[in-house]
Amino acid sequence: MESSDGQDDAGSVEAGGYQQELKRTLGSFQVFAISFAFISVAVGIFATFDEVLQTAGPVGIWLWIIAAVGQTLVALVVAQFAARIPLSGSSYQWASRLATPKIGWWFGWLTFCYLAIGVVAVDNALASQAFMPLAGIQPDEDVARLITLVVLLVQTVLAVASTRLVSLINTVAVGLELALVVVVAIALVIAVAVTGDGAVGNLTSRGVVENAPGYFSVGGGLMLAMIMGLATLVGFDSAANLAEEAKDPFRAVPRAIVGSVVAAGVLGMLFLITLTVAIDDIPRISANGSPVAAIMRDQLGPAMERALLVAITIAFFGAGIVVMVACSRLVFAMSRDGRFPAHRLMRRVNPRTRTPIPATVLVFALGIVLMVALPGTALLKLVTASTILPAITYGSTIVLYLTVRGRLSRRQGAFDLGRFELPVAVCALLWTLIALFVLVTPKEAFVSVVIVVSLLLLGGLFFLAMLQFDRRAMETEPGEADSFTG
């Protein structure tokens, strides 16, 4: 029987020891759109281009290629798992079933921390960097927080209402973002050719940090530019968190994971090159808090700048709602195994909407707590810390894959690297070690590292409580023991 058959897809859920509670509504492009929206290349560049100009200068954009190749290697390994265990929870499920439930729990905790922080980070950036400038609202942290809470509430209502509705919104956002990157790139090339404002020489310029000391040193300016790619090209595994809502997940989810990284990598580099060439005054643009918008205004006029801000706002919204949905599915997946706080409530799926309402509301509640409780500097450090968490998770996932790959089942027609799997996995592991080194080495990363350690300690307390009061949940796995091994 073909895996595209609905009963066969549901069979993979039943083999895992569950019932098919979530509704399969996502086609191949919609699954791709989920991963691409999480990455959100235009949003990532919009939010970090100023950092690149101020730390490495325009030449720093070329480090995007290294990050894109490295993250593609990681995506290929993640896709190998997604093709074999298509269950909500992604790496949490893979580690629980192929290593032990205890190890799986830690994968789940790391991913939960990253996603829960990510929702707030994306929506707060939407408010402060896109919506407020678009609406002509002067920078104000309190106003940005209020707008963030409103956006979180709207996203929660939509996520609770229907996965299909979320997918439709997300597909529109992704289509708009793809068009934005391509159209803007072409428009900037034409504008530079016609006006002569801009220079190809920008691509090799160190800009305002031309004579900066320690530029090439460890933790120096050039290394810091790598963080743009590392902070943007993540979250591609979000499609795996919605595997139980995808049609033909054995093919659609792995292809979405790899395809989203490749597409984002190529389009991102195209966007960065055209933006950089279009800079007509490097010191002025480097000093601007929103250099992408400033370049658009200089080259294409205020109307195009506003169009950019509209598109970026929509892209931010699409990215935020995808992160929220992915986080709620992870909470649901851990709760139905009895491994999450208030799991009896968090595992509930509404019979009408077929969505996990309590898990989604929890993500919203955490967003409120972070917005209300954390001062501005602490929120910024927390967001920075969230870039370290996926690197740890991806590295751990690759180690897991290298450990268990010989036991994985092989499904005919599913995504498979074949004889290339071992060299790809080894190279991906080396890359994640490099990425972690880049993220934790700069002195600016110290507070972020402390936050990550604190989140791990918090997880450790709950882990010990689980072992004390509900040890059985941490020692048994639902479903057939050899369902996903061969």
Side-chain angles (χ1 to χ4, degrees):
M1 184 182 292
E2 287 292 319
S3 65
S4 58
D5 184 276
Q7 291 181 338
D8 196 37
D9 293 343
S12 65
V13 178
E14 292 166 2
Y18 311 117
Q19 291 183 334
Q20 180 68 52
E21 296 182 87
L22 305 174
K23 191 174 182 180
R24 290 195 184 275
T25 59
L26 305 177
S28 295
F29 180 78
Q30 293 165 316
V31 177
F32 164 82
I34 286 165
S35 282
F36 189 86
F38 195 123
I39 295 171
S40 198
V41 61
V43 166
I45 291 173
F46 187 85
T48 58
F49 192 50
D50 59 333
E51 291 291 328
V52 173
L53 294 178
Q54 292 164 15
T55 58
V59 73
I61 66 167
W62 296 108
L63 291 174
W64 177 275
I65 296 176
I66 298 174
V69 171
Q71 295 300 84
T72 300
L73 291 172
V74 176
L76 286 167
V77 178
V78 170
Q80 290 282 96
F81 273 132
R84 290 163 174 77
I85 308 180
L87 298 172
S88 294
S90 60
S91 59
Y92 158 72
Q93 289 282 7
W94 308 334
S96 294
R97 294 174 183 279
L98 298 172
T100 70
K102 295 184 183 70
I103 292 175
W105 187 90
W106 279 104
F107 275 78
W109 177 253
L110 282 170
T111 307
F112 168 72
C113 290
Y114 168 60
L115 294 174
I117 296 169
V119 177
V120 176
V122 171
D123 288 349
N124 190 242
L126 182 160
S128 60
Q129 297 181 33
F131 181 79
M132 289 173 66
L134 177 64
I137 301 172
Q138 292 301 310
D140 186 301
E141 186 179 322
D142 292 334
V143 173
R145 286 171 184 253
L146 182 60
I147 294 171
T148 301
L149 291 175
V150 173
V151 172
L152 280 167
L153 177 60
V154 173
Q155 289 170 335
T156 301
V157 171
L158 292 171
V160 160
S162 166
T163 302
R164 183 186 290 275
L165 179 60
V166 169
S167 175
L168 177 62
I169 294 168
N170 189 50
T171 300
V172 171
V174 166
L176 186 63
E177 184 172 357
L178 288 169
L180 168 74
V181 171
V182 174
V183 170
V184 167
I186 294 171
L188 286 175
V189 169
I190 294 172
V192 171
V194 170
T195 65
D197 295 332
V200 175
N202 291 345
L203 297 172
T204 55
S205 170
R206 285 165 60 178
V208 295
V209 290
E210 180 67 43
N211 300 309
Y215 182 80
F216 294 101
S217 64
V218 172
L222 187 63
M223 180 185 285
L224 289 172
M226 179 81 79
I227 294 175
M228 176 169 64
L230 293 176
T232 303
L233 299 172
V234 294
F236 42 81
D237 52 320
S238 57
N241 261 328
L242 278 77
E244 292 178 33
E245 293 157 89
K247 302 171 185 176
D248 192 12
F250 294 97
R251 294 185 183 89
V253 173
R255 289 173 181 172
I257 289 169
V258 178
S260 61
V261 181
V262 173
V266 172
L267 287 172
M269 196 68 247
L270 171 70
F271 196 36
L272 284 168
I273 289 172
T274 53
L275 280 173
T276 303
V277 170
I279 298 174
D280 64 348
D281 185 337
I282 292 176
R284 179 174 62 83
I285 294 297
S286 298
N288 192 294
S290 184
V292 176
I295 293 167
M296 294 278 288
R297 183 171 59 250
D298 289 347
Q299 294 290 358
L300 304 173
M304 197 63 181
E305 179 196 9
R306 290 187 66 80
L308 167 75
L309 289 172
V310 170
I312 288 292
T313 300
I314 295 171
F316 264 122
F317 187 85
I321 200 169
V322 163
V323 182
M324 174 176 282
V325 169
C327 190
S328 69
R329 287 350 180 233
L330 175 65
V331 171
F332 162 75
M334 295 181 71
S335 296
R336 67 181 173 183
D337 293 337
R339 300 173 190 156
F340 197 85
H343 59 85
R344 289 182 180 84
L345 174 63
M346 295 300 156
R347 66 174 296 170
R348 292 181 186 172
V349 174
N350 184 278
R352 187 174 64 82
T353 64
R354 304 280 292 274
T355 56
I357 293 179
T360 309
V361 173
L362 172 68
V363 181
F364 172 60
L366 288 172
I368 294 176
V369 170
L370 292 177
M371 281 289 96
V372 172
L374 290 180
T377 53
L379 180 64
L380 182 62
K381 293 297 183 183
L382 187 66
V383 169
T384 307
S386 70
T387 61
I388 299 172
L389 292 168
I392 296 173
T393 304
Y394 291 148
S396 302
T397 302
I398 296 164
V399 170
L400 174 68
Y401 184 77
L402 287 168
T403 304
V404 305
R405 68 186 185 88
R407 297 194 284 116
L408 284 171
S409 61
R410 304 284 168 173
R411 184 183 180 90
Q412 187 175 0
F415 182 88
D416 194 343
L417 288 176
R419 66 178 182 274
F420 296 106
E421 65 173 343
L422 182 58
V424 166
V426 170
C427 290
L429 179 59
L430 291 174
W431 163 250
T432 56
L433 293 174
I434 292 170
L436 268 172
F437 180 77
V438 169
L439 289 167
V440 304
T441 300
K443 61 181 182 298
E444 296 87 351
F446 175 75
V447 175
S448 298
V449 172
V450 171
I451 291 172
V452 170
V453 172
S454 299
L455 290 171
L456 291 174
L457 290 174
L458 180 63
L461 292 175
F462 181 72
F463 182 78
L464 292 174
M466 285 289 297
L467 292 179
Q468 180 70 29
F469 299 110
D470 198 0
R471 178 177 289 272
R472 187 174 180 277
M474 301 293 276
E475 293 179 345
T476 58
E477 193 67 29
E480 305 159 25
D482 59 349
S483 298
F484 304 104
T485 57

